[in-house]
Amino acid sequence: TEFILNKKREDMKKTFLILSCVALGLISCNKTEATTETSTSTEAVAGGQEAVVDEDSAPTIVKLAAGNKDLSTLVTAVEAAGLTTSLSNAGPFTVFAPVNAAFDKLPAGTVDDLLKPENNSKLGDILGHHTYVGVIKTEQMTDGQSLGMVDGKNITIKMVNGKPTINGTVNIIATVPASNGIVHVVDGVILPQ
């Protein structure tokens, strides 16, 4: 009987050893597959947030602006300043988006000059003066309200005929929600004081 018990113990040890090796092999395979999946998904987003294709969700601020021909000058400026990725991120942001006609009101050659690579910093400051971190809806705007913009300077909301304006001179002509904030389409370029 002792011989039989010893034989069974040896068989159990061998079985346990074989099962342990199989389990380790399976764990190793799973880790390799997980690593492969992670590196593949990392490669898919290498183009930045603006490269993500999503046909179901509301568009980001950048995609919303890019889809509106009346904002093409703004989109060109955002691209030239290298802010496409920043304004495609989660935010939330409030962007006061001047229409093309607003840029046309600037002195001749101003936009072309700002789009030059050597004026990238200046262009970024102007665009930053149109961007607020957070969401401010028109019904939340009050007379005399001051908003700290991305460029570090403030704009002031002034109520004119019961409607909010920026610094008393720039009118909000449309408001459109985006997945990462809100866009207030405006009729003027808001220049830092």
Side-chain angles (χ1 to χ4, degrees):
T1 27
E2 194 164 315
F3 174 76
I4 294 173
L5 284 175
N6 284 337
K7 179 76 171 150
K8 284 186 178 181
R9 281 186 194 136
E10 283 181 35
D11 288 345
M12 286 178 60
K13 284 181 184 177
K14 286 180 187 175
T15 304
F16 181 74
L17 182 62
I18 291 171
L19 287 175
S20 297
C21 289
V22 169
L24 286 173
L26 288 174
I27 290 170
S28 295
C29 287
N30 285 340
K31 284 185 180 179
T32 303
E33 287 174 17
T35 304
T36 304
E37 288 175 18
T38 302
S39 43
T40 303
S41 45
T42 302
E43 291 168 14
V45 256
Q49 185 67 25
E50 74 276 12
V52 174
V53 177
D54 181 0
E55 303 297 329
D56 298 326
S57 301
T60 63
I61 289 170
V62 171
K63 288 182 181 178
L64 197 118
N68 186 329
K69 64 181 179 174
D70 292 328
L71 298 175
S72 62
T73 304
L74 175 64
V75 171
T76 300
V78 167
E79 290 171 350
L83 297 174
T84 305
T85 298
S86 297
L87 290 174
S88 297
N89 286 331
F93 304 106
T94 296
V95 173
F96 295 93
V99 292
N100 295 342
F103 287 101
D104 293 341
K105 293 178 190 176
L106 296 173
T110 302
V111 174
D112 290 335
D113 190 52
L114 286 170
L115 293 175
K116 292 178 181 174
E118 61 267 21
N119 293 327
N120 199 359
S121 173
K122 191 175 184 179
L123 179 60
D125 286 344
I126 291 171
L127 294 172
H129 199 63
H130 289 77
T131 308
Y132 173 80
V133 177
V135 173
I136 301 290
K137 298 177 181 178
T138 52
E139 58 268 17
Q140 296 171 315
M141 296 178 187
T142 58
D143 193 45
Q145 183 179 20
S146 181
L147 299 177
M149 307 308 277
V150 168
D151 71 336
K153 298 179 178 152
N154 294 337
I155 62 169
T156 302
I157 303 299
K158 293 186 180 180
M159 299 305 276
V160 176
N161 297 324
K163 294 181 181 180
T165 66
I166 292 83
N167 299 332
T169 58
V170 176
N171 299 297
I172 297 171
I173 53 178
T175 299
V176 184
S179 64
N180 62 339
I182 194 165
V183 176
H184 297 295
V185 180
V186 294
D187 66 356
V189 176
I190 309 164
L191 296 173
Q193 300 281 332

